[in-house]
Amino acid sequence: MILDGKACSEQRLEILRDEIDESGLSPHLATVIVGSDPASQMYVRMKHRACERVHIGSVGIELTADATTEKVIASVRQLNEDPEIDGILVQLPLPRQVETGRVIKAVRPDKDVDGYHPVNLGLLFSATPRFAPCTPRGIMTLLAANRIPVAGKHAVILGRSVDVGRPMAALLLNADATVTVCHSKTRNLADVTRQADILVSSVGKAHFVTAGMVKKGAVVIDVGINQLNGKLVGDVDFAAVSSIASAITPVPGGVGPMTIATLMENTFQAAKERACGSVW
Ligand code: GUN
């Protein structure tokens, strides 16, 4: 089975648009982009386009590549104070001179629709999530939409990043999976990955996951976006692994669209919670 993230996200966006229209709310997302990295600009454009589709208003703040940490934080603080803005997304990665951790901590947790603020990550790891990061939450949605059970399964995650690997572990653990997180220092990696009922790869290396690393019937989720000979490919050798896996996400059209749909859902959640004066 191919896990069609594009189709799933389209469905979710349609439902969300109707929910937003019926709510009488006017949610707004602000994006902050620093510099002119073409990939980041494309991602931010896609996010604004998704906003339009679901009737979320959006504003884009663009700062030059030489912006200081203080300047980025000043923009974030302005958005924190802006009553029109429900969600704030600072596009990553930031230029080298900008202290990413300080910028993330400057975002008000109740507007942190990326779910990267330590308060939101702490809530997620305490099994009381408010905003979970969009990529791992989108993966949970895709699994649920395809009726793939998680409870009691052994989930193996490749990559321990703060935006994907770690929150993915927390979400799967909260859903009663047994979770193993692998990283660059993991020994005998293939022995571990072959135990996975659900294998999530977020490594950022083309064709890193080969057929020999996957158990027959496993569910394989590919978070990677890599260029290989001018083509967009994931971390997984799709041609070889798809004949072994019971379900697999394609790249493109798998996890990516789910990330954007989840950002829209998080933004509407932020608007609803602010509208009813939720206490943080
Ligand atoms: N860069 C790549 N993906 C993301 C994302 O989901 N959020 C942010 N803020 N930056 C990203």
Side-chain angles (χ1 to χ4, degrees), residues 26-32 56-61 75-89 107-108 110-113 267 270-271 274:
S26 173
H28 279 74
L29 173 70
T31 62
V32 178
I56 289 177
S58 68
V59 290
I61 310 293
S75 285
V76 167
R77 290 213 174 114
Q78 217 168 357
L79 297 167
N80 283 344
E81 299 304 318
D82 188 337
E84 291 287 311
I85 298 298
D86 299 289
I88 301 168
L89 176 140
V107 177
R108 252 172 72 163
D110 61 346
K111 293 190 176 188
D112 172 37
V113 287
T267 305
R274 263 171 21 91

Side-chain angles (χ1 to χ4, degrees), residues 24-190:
L25 295 172
S26 173
H28 279 74
L29 173 70
T31 62
V32 178
I33 184 166
V34 185
S36 54
D37 173 63
S40 289
Q41 284 182 326
M42 185 187 69
Y43 290 138
V44 168
R45 260 199 315 275
M46 287 163 76
K47 289 165 188 177
H48 284 276
R49 217 176 296 142
C51 282
E52 270 175 43
R53 286 190 52 190
V54 298
H55 304 165
I56 289 177
S58 68
V59 290
I61 310 293
E62 294 176 15
L63 302 176
T64 52
D66 61 355
T68 60
T69 303
E70 301 309 328
K71 180 148 179 119
V72 182
I73 288 178
S75 285
V76 167
R77 290 213 174 114
Q78 217 168 357
L79 297 167
N80 283 344
E81 299 304 318
D82 188 337
E84 291 287 311
I85 298 298
D86 299 289
I88 301 168
L89 176 140
V90 181
Q91 185 66 23
L92 303 181
L94 291 166
R96 208 169 309 149
Q97 79 277 6
V98 180
E99 294 166 75
T100 302
R102 284 185 58 206
V103 172
I104 288 172
K105 285 195 197 102
V107 177
R108 252 172 72 163
D110 61 346
K111 293 190 176 188
D112 172 37
V113 287
D114 249 336
Y116 293 163
H117 192 288
V119 164
N120 281 315
L121 289 170
L123 287 167
L124 175 61
F125 275 84
S126 317
T128 54
R130 294 292 285 259
F131 294 114
C134 300
T135 295
R137 192 175 156 202
I139 290 168
M140 297 304 289
T141 303
L142 189 61
L143 292 172
N146 286 279
R147 300 184 195 290
I148 292 172
V150 172
K153 302 292 181 186
H154 186 186
V156 176
I157 300 161
L158 301 181
R160 54 177 158 178
S161 66
V162 172
D163 54 335
V164 181
R166 289 167 198 246
M168 187 80 256
L171 283 164
L172 287 163
L173 196 55
N174 291 350
D176 298 325
T178 302
V179 179
T180 303
V181 181
C182 300
H183 47 79
S184 53
K185 302 285 190 293
T186 298
R187 297 194 184 149
N188 305 322
L189 184 65

